[in-house]
Amino acid sequence: MAKKNKTAITPTREEDYSQWYQEVVKASDLAENSPVRGCMVIKPWGYALWENIMHDMDAMFKETGVRNAYFPLFIPLSYLEKEAEHVDGFAKECAVVTHHKLEKGKDGKLVPAGELAEPLIVRPTSETIIGESMSKWTSSYRDLPILLNQWANVVRWEMRTRMFLRTSEFLWQEGHTAHATKVEAQERTSQMLDIYAEFVEKHLAMPVIRGQKTESERFPGADDTICIEAMMQDKRALQAGTSHFLGQNFAKGSDIKFQNEEGQEAYAWTTSWGTSTRMIGGMIMVHSDDDGLIVPPRVAPAHVVIMPIIKKGGDNTQVIESANLLKKALKANSFHGRKVEVEIDSRDIGGARGWDWVKKGIPVRIELGPRDIANNCVFMARRDTNEKKSMDRDDFINNICDILDNIQDSLFQRALQFREDHTFSIDSKEEFYALFKKAKGYENGAFVNSHWCGSRECEEKIKKDLSVTIRCIPFDSPMEEGTCICCGNASSKRVLFAKAY
RNA sequence: CGGGGCGUAGCGCAGCCUGGUAGCGCGCCUGCUUUGGGAGCAGGAUGUCGGAGGUUCGAAUCCUCUCGCCCCGACCA
């Protein structure tokens, strides 16, 4: 019968973390590789997750006055050149379109023809093309602010790809705003980061650290980049969202000018901010276990699966009927603005059926057989704790939202506890090096708060020696006298060091 | 893009060294028996051996090239 000790996923996290991750993605049916290098197929179970993320984040953006729009996939090559640092940042990874048709060659095979006068790049991000529109739309301070967002795909020709975490094409949202004043743009930059933090913590149940990027980690062309960082179960950091204060750099490049209240011509102040399908990768790595995916209920493609106990050749009408009624009763509940989503799985494949749903990470599984029906009960299993118990059917229906909230909370608390257990303040260079040197695979170290003098040289040295980077200068890092973990010079603040995805 | 590993059935793999026309486990299909955490027995289907060239009477196997995946670096959301 049951092979109790066997995990649904091999290898386990401990055995081989990155292989485990690949297997979870596969076993949970979220996505698979496509025939196109570095690009993935997001399957319905994975895309539903993204749809829920889009739906919830979109509402939060709109609440702050942001409106959606859509800009071209193709960006004229010359546009990218409008901001010097921006070019440097993205030029190496651009897909370039040079032809506009195909013709039959000598051997009958199709060959590109009709060379374009100016090559087009497939957008790696849209600052420049949106800036072009903004400049047309802005003539008076009364036209500002412009608050835009677009849900789109972008392409960055990556050398090394991993499902959801880094693919050549990925889905994201990019917000772009233009403001009359510096302060207003800066406020918008932090406002959007706060929204990201709230979304990721409340909906994805991932605790995050908010902070500022160092100069070397900044978005190409930004004056300031702020971010949220989360800890994965291998103790590496994943940037889950970034928000950029672009100063007037792009306004100057794209000529976004307006007349201010004093009648003077001025450049606008712009921001941009983005989150991507990468968040799904983070969610997988934060919550899932050796039996597969675990999805926080608030973004789960479905909340409950009902598995009727089917007797082949017997009369199952009562069980099926009962399952349908249960589904209907559950769906009458609203869970954070969404109906409780219920799947019924009547496949007669024995215990494998249950494991399928374990691997897919559905929060709650229900087994429903004649015995339960006779007692007006359901047999419930929670994915997060693996707790299983028989419950009164009506209690279950009435409390489903509480159960889901409870799962959501416990996932967050578990992740928070994990992060706290693996976060240290270190003041000795020896200790710092010792900790990260032994870090391999699953033991990728920790989050370490240490003093940093602010020099690029020290940042580089630590990166070179240990593959550890400054993830951010946390906003809540207090002013405090100390000495740089690398060079020993005076420092007034601790920064967050970690290995990163 | 540098270094390493790997592409054989839906999934996981063996076969390759020493060339002779493809196998195992799981899954899938059929039947019977089962059914409350990965069911049992019996029968069955499934492969252009990643692709293209080459060597050879004959290539999954040897050679060349190519594409893709994974790991370690560099780079990046």
Side-chain angles (χ1 to χ4, degrees):
Chain A
M1 280 277 281
K3 298 164 211 168
K4 275 259 174 183
N5 299 325
K6 195 174 166 189
T7 57
I9 302 293
T10 43
T12 61
R13 286 163 290 183
E14 206 159 343
E15 287 162 354
D16 187 340
Y17 192 78
S18 54
Q19 195 59 39
W20 165 83
Y21 174 79
Q22 307 285 342
E23 295 298 326
V24 170
V25 171
K26 198 187 300 181
S28 58
D29 216 28
L30 291 178
E32 62 188 34
N33 276 314
S34 74
V36 186
R37 179 203 157 90
C39 297
M40 65 176 170
V41 173
I42 303 178
K43 300 176 80 174
W45 193 250
Y47 197 77
L49 254 172
W50 183 238
E51 286 178 309
N52 290 334
I53 289 170
M54 283 195 280
H55 177 269
D56 293 356
M57 281 186 49
D58 200 59
M60 293 168 89
F61 297 158
K62 285 179 177 152
E63 200 61 35
T64 73
V66 172
R67 294 295 176 263
N68 287 328
Y70 188 79
F71 295 84
L73 170 68
F74 300 122
I75 299 179
L77 188 57
S78 57
Y79 278 44
L80 195 68
E81 293 165 345
K82 289 182 177 185
E83 211 293 328
E85 285 186 30
H86 198 60
V87 191
D88 288 348
F90 288 107
K92 296 181 291 294
E93 48 188 34
C94 284
V96 186
V97 179
T98 53
H99 293 74
H100 67 85
K101 65 176 172 184
L102 295 167
E103 283 175 355
K104 276 212 170 125
K106 287 186 254 20
D107 54 359
K109 295 218 167 118
L110 293 170
V111 293
E115 192 169 350
L116 300 175
E118 179 181 3
L120 298 168
I121 60 168
V122 180
R123 62 178 165 227
T125 178
S126 304
E127 275 75 9
T128 58
I129 190 122
I130 292 181
E132 169 74 11
S133 290
M134 283 179 165
S135 77
K136 282 203 314 199
W137 300 343
T138 308
S139 51
S140 152
Y141 67 93
R142 293 193 179 90
D143 296 323
L144 297 173
I146 297 174
L147 307 174
L148 299 173
N149 178 63
Q150 86 169 345
W151 291 96
N153 57 337
V154 286
V155 168
R156 296 180 188 176
W157 211 263
E158 298 291 349
M159 289 300 121
R160 188 176 165 194
T161 60
R162 311 184 71 185
M163 295 249 220
F164 289 110
L165 297 173
R166 178 169 296 108
T167 45
S168 291
E169 179 192 16
F170 58 96
L171 306 181
W172 78 344
Q173 66 57 223
E174 49 179 323
H176 297 268
T177 69
H179 306 264
T181 68
K182 179 178 182 179
V183 169
E184 192 184 305
Q186 287 172 320
E187 282 170 359
R188 173 57 65 168
T189 307
S190 24
Q191 181 185 15
M192 299 321 290
L193 190 77
D194 288 346
I195 284 180
Y196 288 160
E198 184 187 344
F199 175 80
V200 171
E201 295 202 327
K202 296 236 171 87
H203 297 242
L204 298 181
M206 293 162 58
V208 295
I209 288 167
R210 299 173 215 210
Q212 181 183 38
K213 285 294 187 194
T214 63
E215 193 187 336
S216 65
E217 298 265 334
R218 243 178 237 158
F219 178 76
D223 279 0
D224 190 16
T225 289
I226 56 179
C227 62
I228 50 175
E229 297 280 333
M231 182 189 276
M232 306 295 105
Q233 289 182 74
D234 61 353
K235 297 122 194 160
R236 282 169 79 176
L238 181 100
Q239 178 178 303
T242 49
S243 187
H244 316 292
F245 169 63
L246 304 174
Q248 294 180 308
N249 305 333
F250 285 87
K252 285 175 179 165
S254 297
D255 207 35
I256 311 173
K257 284 188 294 202
F258 66 101
Q259 280 198 305
N260 62 23
E261 288 177 73
E262 287 81 46
Q264 298 155 325
E265 187 171 74
Y267 283 110
W269 302 82
T270 64
T271 80
S272 70
W273 24 277
T275 55
S276 70
T277 38
R278 187 180 219 206
M279 282 193 299
I280 295 176
M283 188 207 79
I284 296 166
M285 285 198 289
V286 167
H287 299 305
S288 302
D289 63 17
D290 296 334
D291 286 329
L293 187 66
I294 296 180
V295 198
R298 289 192 68 169
V299 293
H303 301 107
V304 180
V305 60
I306 301 170
M307 294 177 284
I309 307 299
I310 302 289
K311 307 268 184 204
K312 208 180 218 176
D315 180 10
N316 296 301
T317 49
Q318 192 203 12
V319 185
I320 299 290
E321 174 73 0
S322 180
N324 286 330
L325 287 172
L326 179 59
K327 174 176 176 172
K328 203 174 159 196
L330 287 169
K331 289 194 79 150
N333 288 283
S334 168
F335 180 65
H336 295 280
R338 194 152 64 97
K339 270 194 281 194
V340 170
E341 298 290 346
V342 182
E343 300 274 346
I344 294 181
D345 184 351
S346 306
R347 289 177 298 166
D348 178 28
I349 55 172
R353 179 175 63 171
W355 283 103
D356 261 21
W357 291 101
V358 169
K359 287 185 281 191
K360 287 168 86 84
I362 199 160
V364 173
R365 306 188 302 282
I366 293 295
E367 288 176 20
L368 188 66
R371 215 148 70 210
D372 304 299
I373 294 166
N375 300 323
N376 200 39
C377 283
V378 296
F379 190 79
M380 184 200 74
R382 273 173 66 143
R383 178 64 181 90
D384 62 329
T385 57
N386 206 27
E387 176 196 7
K388 289 169 230 170
K389 63 176 179 187
S390 191
M391 272 188 85
D392 179 80
R393 181 175 174 128
D394 298 315
D395 281 352
F396 176 67
I397 293 166
N398 293 330
N399 291 313
I400 182 62
C401 290
D402 289 342
I403 294 169
L404 294 173
D405 272 326
N406 191 280
I407 294 172
Q408 184 84 24
D409 288 348
S410 83
L411 287 174
F412 181 81
Q413 288 306 329
R414 186 155 85 185
L416 183 61
Q417 187 64 52
F418 184 87
R419 189 184 77 191
E420 283 173 358
D421 289 346
H422 299 282
T423 300
F424 310 104
S425 285
I426 292 182
D427 293 314
S428 123
K429 186 170 184 176
E430 291 66 37
E431 207 184 318
F432 187 95
Y433 269 64
L435 188 152
F436 282 116
K437 271 235 166 90
K438 68 163 200 233
K440 286 264 156 57
Y442 189 56
E443 286 297 332
N444 262 303
F447 276 14
V448 174
N449 290 302
S450 291
H451 277 277
W452 173 55
C453 64
S455 85
R456 201 159 188 151
E457 289 71 40
C458 289
E459 194 182 6
E460 283 295 321
K461 176 158 173 50
I462 285 174
K463 183 174 180 182
K464 196 159 168 280
D465 289 350
L466 300 167
S467 300
V468 167
T469 49
I470 298 175
R471 299 323 305 147
C472 67
I473 305 160
F475 292 148
D476 60 8
S477 181
M479 295 303 282
E480 148 191 314
E481 292 306 307
T483 54
C484 177
I485 196 74
C486 184
C487 68
N489 287 342
S491 152
S492 59
K493 234 183 195 183
R494 287 177 189 276
V495 300
L496 175 64
F497 287 93
K499 296 201 178 192
Y501 273 96

